[in-house]
Amino acid sequence: MSTLTDTPKAAADAGETPARRRPRVDRLPYLLLLPCLAIIGVLLLWPLGQVVWMSFHRLNNVRQLRGDRAWPWVGLDNYVQILSDPFFRTVLRNTVLFAAANVVLTMILGTLVGLLLNRLSKRMATFVASCVMLAWATPALTGTIVWKWIFDDTSGLVTWLFNALPDGLSQALFGRTDWTGYGWFNSPLLFFTILTLVVVWHSFPFIAVSVLAGLKSVPSELHEAARVDGAGPWRVFWKVTFPLLRPVFGILIVLSTIWDFKVFTQQFVLAGGTQDRPTFMLSIYSYAEAFSPPPKYGLGAAIAVILTLILLVVTGLYVRMVLKQEEE
């Protein structure tokens, strides 16, 4: 009697394996992503590539940008000129210190407001959150103009308040009694203080609402159990709330770092342009080099690339640290 060697079992005994059917790849999700990827490429990657390409050329005339004249290739000369300039180190120091201070203050204030909103009743929390979000919804240009009027040296609110102080108290505390004409933006320290106030005011509502959303996902039973064990509010936050919201805080810190490194509008409006070089940061430094006469578009593009690389390195290191903590 003949054996059925064409069955899978017989084929396996004979050393043959039946062909495995490959899983079918569904290409529809990738096709649906193509329009979004194309838009990102046109709006983000193409301009970024243009800036990188410009940074390797000497561009001192707008006709070069229009294509009427050739772009002289200089290689890394623009980067060498920027990195060897002592003023660049001053600008980099200003940027790092300003960003660090603003990230810390924004995260602290936003977290405190988020905790407050979580403790309020639903109706009151909705009202307070709506008021807080007005700062976030206000355009940066509009909000900065308002703050510049508040610190105006003649008719500003702050000048009026200081002039309203008793002469003896004002003289004893500040050494002057007449504040009309006082330049609030002339001192670098005062300028960065006011700029920090403006940026934190505009940024903390997003942190507060994000923290509030994270707090709503924390089971209330955990907080109640910690309080039963005798933990106070401070210990409950650090031992229960913060570990559960660590991914939320990680994302918020990364976003705040990126935003604070790129501050431009607020500084440009408060300073009245690009004349106040001691208060320069990387964003306005790039703009000043590119567009202030005589224009140096190649140098401005090189500064913008350096700023982008710094943000990528800082963000990458922080994300790596967060992922490592999550694994542990």
Side-chain angles (χ1 to χ4, degrees):
M1 183 181 295
S2 61
T3 59
L4 300 175
T5 58
D6 55 340
T7 62
K9 182 177 180 181
D13 295 339
E16 300 177 0
T17 58
R20 296 182 178 179
R21 184 176 298 176
R22 295 182 178 179
R24 183 179 179 182
V25 178
D26 189 3
R27 299 179 179 177
L28 180 60
Y30 300 98
L31 294 177
L32 295 176
L33 286 175
L34 283 180
C36 181
L37 295 176
I39 293 175
I40 293 176
V42 172
L43 297 181
L44 180 62
L45 297 182
W46 173 252
L48 180 60
Q50 285 289 97
V51 171
V52 174
W53 182 248
M54 290 171 59
S55 68
F56 296 114
H57 297 81
R58 180 179 293 108
L59 303 174
N60 300 329
N61 196 303
V62 70
R63 293 183 178 179
Q64 292 176 303
L65 300 180
R66 296 173 180 172
D68 298 339
R69 296 184 180 180
W71 292 17
W73 175 269
V74 295
L76 297 176
D77 289 355
N78 288 329
Y79 293 94
V80 173
Q81 181 177 345
I82 292 297
L83 296 176
S84 60
D85 187 0
F87 184 63
F88 172 77
R89 292 189 287 271
T90 301
V91 174
L92 182 61
R93 181 200 62 195
N94 292 344
T95 306
V96 172
L97 293 178
F98 174 82
N102 278 264
V103 170
V104 172
L105 293 176
T106 303
M107 291 301 301
I108 292 176
L109 181 59
T111 301
L112 292 176
V113 174
L115 293 172
L116 173 64
L117 293 174
N118 192 48
R119 298 291 297 272
L120 295 176
S121 63
K122 184 177 180 180
R123 181 176 299 180
M124 182 59 67
T126 302
F127 173 76
V128 175
S130 301
C131 296
V132 167
M133 288 304 294
L134 287 176
W136 171 258
T138 303
L141 178 60
T142 305
T144 308
I145 291 175
V146 174
W147 279 102
K148 189 171 184 179
W149 168 79
I150 291 176
F151 285 93
D152 185 76
D153 57 357
T154 56
S155 59
L157 179 62
V158 173
T159 301
W160 178 82
L161 289 175
F162 274 80
N163 281 329
L165 292 175
D167 292 344
L169 179 62
S170 181
Q171 182 67 35
L173 293 178
F174 307 107
R176 60 184 300 160
T177 57
D178 184 12
W179 294 88
T180 303
Y182 183 77
W184 296 101
F185 304 104
N186 295 339
S187 168
L189 180 59
L190 274 177
F191 177 84
F192 277 116
T193 302
I194 298 172
L195 181 60
T196 298
L197 178 63
V198 175
V199 173
V200 171
W201 169 82
H202 190 262
S203 303
F204 87 91
F206 177 78
I207 306 297
V209 174
S210 300
V211 171
L212 176 62
L215 291 172
K216 295 298 183 182
S217 65
V218 177
S220 59
E221 293 81 3
L222 298 178
H223 290 162
E224 294 175 1
R227 296 190 189 97
V228 170
D229 292 340
W234 182 258
R235 190 173 182 84
V236 169
F237 176 79
W238 285 109
K239 296 299 182 180
V240 178
T241 307
F242 182 77
L244 295 175
L245 298 185
R246 191 186 300 272
V248 175
F249 284 114
I251 295 175
L252 293 177
I253 290 176
V254 170
L255 292 176
S256 297
T257 301
I258 294 174
W259 293 335
D260 292 337
F261 259 90
K262 298 190 306 178
V263 167
F264 173 81
T265 303
Q266 294 90 332
Q267 182 176 14
F268 187 86
V269 173
L270 291 180
T274 59
Q275 296 81 16
D276 194 7
R277 290 180 64 85
T279 62
F280 269 18
M281 292 189 290
L282 286 175
S283 293
I284 200 167
Y285 183 37
S286 173
Y287 175 86
E289 289 295 327
F291 297 103
S292 296
K296 298 180 285 291
Y297 303 112
L299 283 177
I303 299 172
V305 172
I306 292 173
L307 174 59
T308 303
L309 293 176
I310 292 174
L311 290 175
L312 289 176
V313 171
V314 172
T315 303
L317 291 176
Y318 187 82
V319 171
R320 182 180 179 183
M321 181 182 67
V322 171
L323 292 177
K324 186 176 180 181
Q325 291 178 350
E326 292 294 331
E327 292 176 356
E328 294 176 354

